[in-house]
Amino acid sequence: MLVPCALLLALLAAEPPAHGVSLGIGTVSYVSIFSGSPWRPGLDLAYERDLSPRWLLRAGLRAALPSQRTPVPGELYAQLQLRAVLGVWEPAIGPELGVSGLTDLGALPDSLPPELNDLEQLRVSPLYVAIAAAPLRFRLGRFTLSALELHWGTTLVPPGAAVRFHLGFIRVSAGLPP
């Protein structure tokens, strides 16, 4: 009994590594004034680099299943997160900038003219900016577990043409050895 407790204490006291990788599961949706895309579940793979004890840089790729309207169902993104270190609890928040292949708004309601769908879709840029918040983020030595991350943003060209929502269900990060 004493050995597992000592191992757990050593794991919790270990200095977090300077860089690592993470794998997450989440879903993305875009909404405009007339229509919105269905939620697109997918995987998120990222490289993480600690810039300081408080700042984290993350760059990654999100991928969803392809559809007829989204032949490249993925996103490339970069985040800069400010972390609060409160024991094992490390909530984080910061900006995210990316390019998305998931910006299909879906079909308009039948009550609207069909040509409006093409016009609205032309206004939605693949470039986006968002705020990413990870309130349920916990570090256990070289591993970090995060649940219910919320990213809220907009397309960039023109700004506000569509609102972007991303809900990260779970993310597991592992530090890499130096």
Side-chain angles (χ1 to χ4, degrees), residues 59-82:
L61 168 70
R62 292 188 189 103
L65 293 174
S67 71
Q68 288 180 340
R69 295 176 60 121
T70 55
V72 183
E75 296 182 330
L76 292 172
Y77 69 92
Q79 294 176 358
L80 180 63
Q81 292 190 341
L82 176 62

Side-chain angles (χ1 to χ4, degrees), residues 151-169:
H151 307 216
W152 179 72
T154 182
T155 55
L156 281 177
V157 183
V163 177
R164 176 186 189 281
F165 298 101
H166 171 227
L167 178 61
F169 298 124

Side-chain angles (χ1 to χ4, degrees), residues 8-116:
L8 181 61
L9 286 174
L11 182 66
L12 293 175
E15 189 65 29
H19 61 112
V21 293
S22 70
L23 179 65
I25 299 171
T27 185
V28 175
S29 180
Y30 280 83
V31 177
S32 69
I33 193 164
F34 293 116
S35 62
S37 69
W39 288 96
R40 302 286 306 271
L43 294 176
D44 182 327
L45 180 62
Y47 171 78
E48 300 176 344
R49 178 85 182 165
D50 288 332
L51 300 178
S52 76
R54 301 278 185 224
W55 292 98
L56 173 74
L57 180 64
R58 179 184 291 149
L61 168 70
R62 292 188 189 103
L65 293 174
S67 71
Q68 288 180 340
R69 295 176 60 121
T70 55
V72 183
E75 296 182 330
L76 292 172
Y77 69 92
Q79 294 176 358
L80 180 63
Q81 292 190 341
L82 176 62
R83 298 177 294 196
V85 179
L86 305 165
V88 297
W89 182 40
E90 290 188 4
I93 190 167
E96 177 178 321
L97 182 64
V99 59
S100 178
L102 302 172
T103 57
D104 173 44
L105 295 174
L108 289 173
D110 291 337
S111 60
L112 295 172
E115 40 300 328
L116 187 58

Side-chain angles (χ1 to χ4, degrees), residues 35 69 103-106 116-125:
S35 62
R69 295 176 60 121
T103 57
D104 173 44
L105 295 174
L116 187 58
N117 193 24
D118 294 335
L119 181 62
E120 189 174 42
Q121 189 66 51
L122 283 173
R123 291 180 40 89
V124 178
S125 163

